[in-house]
Amino acid sequence: MEKKIAVILGDGIGPEVTNQSIKVLNMIAKQYGHQFSYEYALMGAVAIDETGNPLPDETIAICKNSDAILFGAIGDPKYDNDPTAKVRPEQGLLKLRKELQLFANIRPVKTYPSLQHLSPLKAKHLENVDFVIFRELTGGIYFGAKSLSEDGTVAKDDCSYSVMEIERVAHLAFQYAQKRKQHLTLIDKANVLETSRLWRKVVQAIAKEYSDVQVDYLFVDNAAMQIILNPAQFDVVLTENLFGDILSDEASVLAGSLGLLPSASVGTTAALFEPIHGSYPQAKGKDIANPMGSILSTAMLLDHFGMQEEANSVRAAVDWCLNNGFVTKDIDTSNSYTTTAIGDMISEFIERHAKGEKHPIHERLHKSTII
Ligand code: IPM
Ligand code: MG
């Protein structure tokens, strides 16, 4: 297959982790006979520095003209601590989501037996954790009208949702649940918020079309507690934009490292793939960041292309590295490998896997790349 991929390296560790994903994609192309072409585009702090705009029009055009978008990370500390900054890197990502109508953000959360010791939770709570968060991504308080009174003493952020906005993401979540354990949990705050009551009404109505899916409803405060107390109860979690942002970071600690979690943002036409971690500026350029969140996002990109076998070989490679201790510093401080080395190992695994060769990966690679 021939596919055009827009690549947005972004800020901080974005470029170094995304480069490992490109390495992996190139190996997939070579082994499975595909042609991937890449077009690079600017977004975030790096785009502000070069053009004054966190999302130049050219980036939107490149993204619209591609089959998928691979994105690294966004954010720079020089903007984080300046609440008066008029232009911020994050505006680029929010605008891109809106422009491309990427209304569903899919964030899978699972635990790995070999990493249980890294989680702050007791091992017994981590067994059988395997759920997917469907976060609505282009509505709610993120995109409502914002204002600050002239004297600067009162601020407002409107939160609104239409039936259509709820329906389109809910249908995707129900369809996903049908392919999994047929269980969907809607998380809202329907005891307080009007928007949440609309979510509940719409989801209750849609549920009738998916009678094979069992539906639960949880208030977000309780859900935040349940994710820690009994995360194995979830299969597909459906929620609005802000709750999904918060709960997905919370859920990421279950896996043991934020660096492992991938995500896909999809709409009716475009699709964007990115790790859920941020730009981790302290690690920028040090070759220590975990590239697995980006590489697993690449597996989701391959799923999106209908390349199941290819996607599974990427996931098998990541599993193999995790099970055999080939990990970055965030996972093992005393015996860690560089970002580049993990990318190399995953690519080599894919090559051997495709050729039907046995593992383990070449000794030379292990010895020479440990840091
Ligand atoms: C995320 C991030 C973004 C969000 C930021 C960078 C705007 O936290 O993708 O979860 O809040 O959506
Ligand atoms: Mg977030």
Side-chain angles (χ1 to χ4, degrees), residues 10-78:
D11 304 323
I13 57 165
E16 48 208 282
V17 296
T18 310
N19 284 336
Q20 307 315 310
S21 287
I22 305 271
K23 199 184 276 176
V24 165
L25 281 169
N26 287 339
M27 182 57 81
I28 290 285
K30 185 169 163 212
Q31 297 304 325
Y32 293 86
H34 301 301
Q35 278 182 328
F36 297 143
S37 61
Y38 310 103
E39 206 167 346
Y40 287 81
L42 289 174
M43 184 167 81
V46 68
I48 301 176
D49 291 346
E50 280 194 34
T51 69
N53 181 351
L55 182 67
D57 289 346
E58 198 195 344
T59 297
I60 302 174
I62 291 174
C63 290
K64 284 190 173 160
N65 186 33
S66 65
D67 297 304
I69 305 151
L70 184 63
F71 167 54
I74 205 157
D76 190 294
K78 71 181 172 203

Side-chain angles (χ1 to χ4, degrees), residues 107 135 142 245 248-249 276:
R107 298 186 163 183
R135 166 186 174 194
Y142 269 62
D245 179 48
S248 58
D249 264 29
I276 86 155

Side-chain angles (χ1 to χ4, degrees), residues 178-217:
Q178 282 184 315
K179 290 190 229 128
R180 291 177 47 99
K181 290 175 263 172
Q182 294 94 39
H183 179 200
L184 182 143
T185 308
L186 174 69
I187 294 178
D188 62 26
K189 188 74 186 168
N191 50 345
V192 177
L193 302 177
E194 203 56 51
T195 41
S196 284
R197 285 191 276 274
L198 186 62
W199 269 84
R200 219 171 251 223
K201 196 172 144 206
V202 171
V203 168
Q204 278 166 352
I206 289 180
K208 297 197 183 98
E209 296 174 40
Y210 301 90
S211 51
D212 52 335
V213 177
Q214 181 208 326
V215 187
D216 285 338
Y217 302 90

Side-chain angles (χ1 to χ4, degrees), residues 215-226:
V215 187
D216 285 338
Y217 302 90
L218 275 186
F219 295 140
V220 63
D221 45 353
N222 184 15
M225 188 170 71
Q226 295 298 327

Side-chain angles (χ1 to χ4, degrees), residues 68-87:
I69 305 151
L70 184 63
F71 167 54
I74 205 157
D76 190 294
K78 71 181 172 203
Y79 300 96
D80 292 346
N81 298 324
D82 178 8
T84 63
K86 286 268 178 296
V87 183

Side-chain angles (χ1 to χ4, degrees), residues 277-314:
H277 62 69
S279 61
Y280 191 15
Q282 305 85 333
K284 181 182 173 174
K286 294 192 180 151
D287 206 19
I288 56 170
N290 190 344
M292 289 177 176
S294 176
I295 292 172
L296 290 170
S297 303
T298 302
M300 295 180 87
L301 178 150
L302 294 168
D303 284 333
H304 177 74
F305 288 163
M307 300 176 183
Q308 235 57 67
E309 199 189 332
E310 293 84 332
N312 288 340
S313 88
V314 174

